[in-house]
Amino acid sequence: MTDAPEPPSLPPLPVVPHVVGLGESLLRLSPPGHRRLDHATGLDVEVGGAEMNALIAAAGLGLPATWVSRVADNPLGHRIAAHAHAFGVRTHIDWDPDARAALYFVEQGVPPRPSEVLYDRSGTAMRDLTPDAFDWKTLTDGAGAALSSGITCALGPGPAAAVAALLSAARGNGAVTAFDVNHRARMWTWEEAVPVLRGVLPHVDVLLASRHDLLRLLPDAPAGAAVAELARRAIGEFGHEMVVLRETEQLPGRRIAARVTAVTAAGEHAGGTHEADVVDTFGAGDAALGVLLAALLAGDGPAEVADKAAWAGAFQHTMPGDACPIRPADLARRGAEGRRILR
């Protein structure tokens, strides 16, 4: 009796880097049909939150993604967590039975009336986050990227210190660290924000910022400096590998044009211009960040990264809600002639 032949060995499965994000997510309540809140007879429910939105975009392109947060242990908090799971994002949550879920109310405007946000996020679980709440080294072990934003820093000293702890641990584990300034004037003033953000920025490899952000964060920069010069100053001062500059131009009607430029020590790398008809005004910057990280981890060069990020921002404007349920097939059609129906 002969031994059965050994089965052929299979090649090892590729290791896909995962992305970790820290932030607060909120229930988004908005009157349908562009009504104003004081005339609303009902509210549509969505879930928003900058870091979760970015993770959803990254997960849609195949990156394992984990959202880290403190969340109210009640039905509203569980609704928020379920939103992450529905889009393939894993969660690592410190549940708080005594806290409340974060809310925000949105009046969706159309030109010339802007969309408007009313926050209701006091007393939420994330306000009590401390830098030692999670084992950041373990959470970021094997991660390709870690992300957070200035919105989380605005929640208080504990959350801001936790952002720095996450990014520091992630960088120590070899991950790319990304941070979106995402200043919210209805959460904190620039005078409050600048010293906190300047404490976080030395831990950041990829910074998303506007010209206005950079002028605030670089108090010695000349007011008339070009935005790319400001980005290079930030690279020199804080050690970023890349500063990502987003621009959204309002076109006639409800149409926009999105552009992104990635500035590195080697120069400026501009993507193309991508237009979209606006269905929803929220989440475009978050989608751009998630797709940008997916492109970076795939090995794309700065110009390609910038172009994909600009396209993702435009694409998100065509989706209701904050989340960007992007698919690889969507990204593959970038730059192709638009078709109204695929069949």
Side-chain angles (χ1 to χ4, degrees):
M1 183 175 180
T2 60
D3 293 333
E6 290 288 331
S9 59
L10 297 175
L13 293 174
V15 177
V16 179
H18 66 277
V19 182
V20 178
L22 170 69
E24 181 172 70
S25 285
L26 312 85
L27 290 177
R28 185 182 108 175
L29 307 169
S30 52
H34 301 282
R35 292 176 182 267
R36 309 210 82 162
L37 281 166
D38 50 354
H39 296 138
T41 57
L43 296 170
D44 291 333
V45 181
E46 301 278 356
V47 175
E51 294 86 359
M52 186 192 286
N53 294 340
L55 293 169
I56 287 170
L61 295 181
L63 292 183
T66 301
W67 177 61
V68 182
S69 192
R70 294 193 83 245
V71 181
D73 190 0
N74 62 33
L76 299 182
H78 287 275
R79 170 68 178 87
I80 291 170
H83 178 81
H85 301 153
F87 288 99
V89 174
R90 296 173 292 191
T91 57
H92 191 90
I93 294 173
D94 180 14
W95 294 100
D96 186 342
D98 299 318
R100 56 185 297 274
L103 309 175
Y104 78 115
F105 298 83
V106 173
E107 288 185 352
Q108 287 277 12
V110 293
R113 177 167 64 94
S115 296
E116 191 165 357
V117 170
L118 174 65
Y119 287 117
D120 181 14
R121 57 197 308 174
S122 62
T124 63
M126 274 290 286
R127 297 276 183 176
D128 292 328
L129 179 67
T130 61
D132 58 354
F134 297 103
D135 182 348
W136 306 110
K137 189 175 187 302
T138 299
L139 277 174
T140 58
D141 184 32
L147 64 92
S148 195
S149 81
I151 298 173
T152 300
C153 294
L155 295 173
V163 169
L166 163 70
L167 299 180
S168 176
R171 181 181 270 181
N173 276 332
V176 174
T177 58
F179 184 82
D180 190 344
V181 174
N182 235 337
H183 183 70
R184 296 290 184 263
R186 293 188 173 182
M187 293 183 67
W188 60 348
T189 67
W190 272 113
E191 289 70 26
E192 294 169 319
V194 167
V196 175
L197 297 179
R198 284 179 60 85
V200 169
L201 293 184
H203 304 293
V204 175
D205 297 318
V206 178
L207 176 69
L208 277 72
S210 69
R211 183 177 188 278
H212 182 70
D213 297 335
L214 293 172
L215 282 172
R216 292 285 191 166
L217 294 168
L218 301 164
D220 297 329
V227 65
E229 171 59 25
L230 294 172
R232 285 189 287 270
R233 281 176 175 261
I235 289 170
E237 180 162 350
F238 299 112
H240 309 312
E241 296 292 328
M242 178 183 291
V243 175
V244 178
L245 309 168
R246 290 183 61 248
E247 178 187 356
T248 302
E249 178 186 359
Q250 182 68 54
L251 301 177
R254 299 205 67 200
R255 198 160 179 82
I256 59 94
R259 305 178 188 89
V260 170
T261 301
V263 180
T264 66
E268 299 173 43
H269 314 272
T273 298
H274 299 275
E275 296 185 10
D277 290 320
V278 177
V279 171
D280 196 304
T281 53
F282 291 83
D286 309 330
L289 174 56
V291 170
L292 179 149
L293 288 176
L296 277 176
L297 295 179
D300 290 343
E304 181 77 354
V305 165
D307 192 64
K308 287 183 177 179
W311 177 88
F315 181 83
Q316 170 59 16
H317 279 301
T318 71
M319 295 285 181
D322 285 45
C324 185
I326 192 172
R327 303 167 183 161
D330 297 322
L331 190 58
R333 287 192 288 270
R334 175 177 55 100
E337 182 181 354
R339 295 176 60 186
R340 200 167 68 84
I341 302 177
L342 296 176
R343 58 184 172 190

